[in-house]
Amino acid sequence: MSFQTIRGTFDVLPDAHDTGGMTVPGSAAWRHVEATVRDVLGRFAFEEIRTPVLEPVDLVARGVGATTDIVSKEMFVVERTKETYVLRPEVTAPVMRAYLEHHLEQRGGAQRLFYVGPCFRAERPQKGRFRQFHQFGTELIGSDDPRADAETVAALRAVYDAFGVRDTRLRLNTLGDAADRPRYRDALRDYFEPYAADLSETSRARLETNPLRILDTKNPAEQALLADAPRLPDFVGGAAAEHYAEVKALLDGLGVPYVEDPRLVRGLDYYTRTVFELESDALGAQSALGAGGRYDGLAEAVGSKQPVPAVGFAAGIERLFLALDAQGYAFPQTAPPDVFVVALGGAAERATFGIAQTLRTAGLRVDFALGGRSMKAQMRAADRSGAARTVIVGDDELAAGEAQVRDLETGAQRAVPIAALAVTLAGGAG
Ligand code: AMP
């Protein structure tokens, strides 16, 4: 019997490996990406929040929206006695749940939160689309200031700039306020109704449930129809239009490039005002690196008595890796050990076992070969490990209280008292 990873999931190994149309980078590359994300978002004063992978199914159904593909088709549901949980498909609703549950508004001011972690969607796996994937994102909760929106876009941009990702495009739009949406929805419905027979089954269903989502169509005939469809910006009221103008002015001031796209929407009612998406030309069909927007209606959708204005983005780590891969980005490798310990003879083996521990306590990374192998085999293992130095102890050295320290690059070797090894090697003097 043998077992494999579930389709649409992958292991992260010490070294990079190919799977599911992607080179999965080694664990050091993941740490590097996560550390860079944390560093960049930290500069925007976002603080990390970690929420459970399991959430109540109703939170996700309400928070993400019953008409979305995510909720209607893609949830991994976990039944447990009387409860139904779901493996989180995204992190915005969970973060809002945590904000409300823990009254984070009491910390004062708007809360700047970020997360990094796995999400789960039962989508058809393909390049850039997995069933367990990883997102990082921000949620700036408690302010409707246009600077919060511009800051969110700027933070998303800054992450990709930190990696030097090229050939990206940031699309920007405003959805207007909650009151603007029904008018636009009706106008879209009126426009498409006469063409209902020409629409795909999916779009026909969306005509009833959520006509805004027809704007997402990839069907060329429907896209042609969209050319003359009513445009969202024409339905946006004064306050939202002013807010949008200010967001754009702020981005212009920062020199953050964007293109306006009146067809960029998010189908959910709680999305308001700013929406944006960052795309890369290097990704093929799954071109979105990340996306976000303002969701002033979410808090109430998941049980808040008061509206809580908020804005955020979510971005996929796998997509970032694909973009970096396409431009030949050199990821860091796990650092080799500082020291490889070589023991000749049974007494030396026992002694070096303790020496390795002493050196580790002094802060060095130390490895040695298991299995009582020959000097030659141990030296080969030392070479393969990439360690800069070996510490060699035989029975003669042991009797003299000394070890041989060899520099593996130059081959230079000298005797060092065993009692002085930690100081010599950790101090960099060896
Ligand atoms: P969404 O919450 O759908 O807006 O997704 C935000 C970002 O997460 C997308 O722009 C992608 O970068 C990434 N993403 C979403 N779904 C997947 C998936 N199934 N596999 C890999 N990345 C994904």
Side-chain angles (χ1 to χ4, degrees):
M1 206 195 301
S2 74
F3 296 104
Q4 265 122 39
T5 44
I6 293 167
R7 215 162 76 89
T9 72
F10 53 81
D11 295 312
V12 174
L13 304 175
D15 295 323
H17 69 110
D18 288 330
T19 191
M22 171 182 172
T23 300
V24 178
S27 48
W30 284 80
R31 277 200 307 282
H32 167 67
V33 163
E34 289 160 6
T36 305
V37 165
R38 288 192 165 89
D39 174 48
V40 172
L41 298 181
R43 285 186 243 164
F44 287 78
F46 286 104
E47 295 181 274
E48 186 166 3
I49 180 164
R50 302 185 185 204
T51 59
V53 160
L54 284 176
E55 290 283 357
V57 68
D58 287 346
L59 170 76
V60 173
R62 283 160 187 272
V64 180
T67 63
T68 59
D69 288 349
I70 293 181
V71 170
S72 59
K73 306 191 242 179
E74 298 169 357
M75 289 200 297
F76 280 106
V77 172
V78 181
E79 304 276 1
R80 173 93 198 137
T81 57
K82 291 202 186 67
E83 310 284 342
T84 306
Y85 310 124
V86 54
L87 296 177
R88 65 179 187 196
E90 55 95 65
V91 196
T92 299
V95 169
M96 185 54 87
R97 175 200 49 67
Y99 176 92
L100 297 170
E101 179 175 343
H102 303 287
H103 300 285
L104 293 186
E105 78 285 353
Q106 289 174 0
R107 301 175 82 217
Q111 298 302 305
R112 294 167 173 259
L113 304 170
F114 83 88
Y115 57 82
V116 184
C119 294
F120 306 82
R121 295 182 194 174
E123 299 184 273
R124 191 170 62 78
Q126 53 187 288
K127 186 179 176 197
R129 181 175 276 180
F130 297 88
R131 292 185 152 188
Q132 175 172 346
F133 59 101
H134 299 79
Q135 282 192 342
F136 62 92
T138 64
E139 314 294 350
L140 212 169
I141 307 179
S143 172
D144 61 4
D145 190 322
R147 283 180 296 173
D149 306 54
E151 184 95 313
T152 298
V153 173
L156 173 68
R157 185 67 263 172
V159 171
Y160 294 85
D161 286 346
F163 290 103
V165 176
R166 296 188 297 263
D167 302 325
T168 61
R169 203 172 25 261
L170 190 102
R171 295 189 293 136
L172 185 70
N173 194 19
T174 180
L175 299 178
D177 285 314
D180 302 333
R181 207 81 50 78
R183 291 193 297 126
Y184 181 56
R185 203 163 27 217
D186 291 346
L188 266 187
R189 206 172 266 143
D190 291 346
Y191 173 79
F192 278 113
E193 214 101 72
Y195 304 105
D198 307 330
L199 296 178
S200 67
E201 206 175 307
T202 317
S203 291
R204 219 163 25 240
R206 286 173 177 173
L207 200 53
E208 297 311 315
T209 56
N210 198 345
L212 260 69
R213 292 206 50 217
I214 300 178
L215 304 192
D216 292 335
T217 182
K218 300 273 186 294
N219 176 324
E222 293 178 358
Q223 283 183 333
L225 271 181
L226 279 175
D228 294 322
R231 287 162 36 100
L232 180 52
D234 299 329
F235 291 77
V236 171
E242 252 170 58
H243 190 272
Y244 185 47
E246 182 61 17
V247 172
K248 287 188 288 180
L250 289 164
L251 290 175
D252 292 339
L254 290 182
V256 172
Y258 60 86
V259 288
E260 288 183 74
D261 179 353
R263 282 210 211 135
L264 178 65
V265 292
R266 307 226 116 189
L268 304 178
D269 284 347
Y270 62 72
Y271 277 102
T272 51
R273 302 193 169 185
T274 314
V275 276
F276 54 89
E277 187 161 301
L278 184 68
E279 296 173 326
S280 160
D281 295 334
L283 294 189
Q286 309 302 320
S287 62
L289 288 168
R294 178 163 281 287
Y295 46 95
D296 291 350
L298 172 62
E300 285 167 301
V302 299
S304 173
K305 300 238 159 34
Q306 285 88 39
V308 182
V311 55
F313 77 76
I317 294 187
E318 288 77 6
R319 305 270 172 96
L320 171 57
F321 275 130
L322 282 168
L324 293 175
D325 217 28
Q327 58 184 64
Y329 188 89
F331 290 108
Q333 308 279 317
T334 301
D338 301 305
V339 176
F340 199 97
V341 181
V342 173
L344 304 170
E349 269 181 15
R350 211 161 302 124
T352 52
F353 190 66
I355 290 171
Q357 207 59 11
T358 308
L359 296 179
R360 289 166 182 156
T361 307
L364 293 164
R365 302 155 58 87
V366 184
D367 194 6
F368 59 86
L370 293 164
R373 292 154 70 199
S374 70
M375 165 87 172
K376 215 165 131 198
Q378 290 184 61
M379 289 308 290
R380 261 204 312 270
D383 264 335
R384 209 167 3 163
S385 78
R389 288 172 295 188
T390 51
V391 167
I392 307 164
V393 180
D395 289 340
D396 291 350
E397 279 86 3
L398 205 54
E402 283 188 340
Q404 296 293 325
V405 173
R406 183 187 293 187
D407 184 312
L408 280 177
E409 202 159 310
T410 64
Q413 185 169 318
R414 68 199 173 93
V416 174
I418 287 174
L421 273 175
V423 168
T424 308
L425 293 171

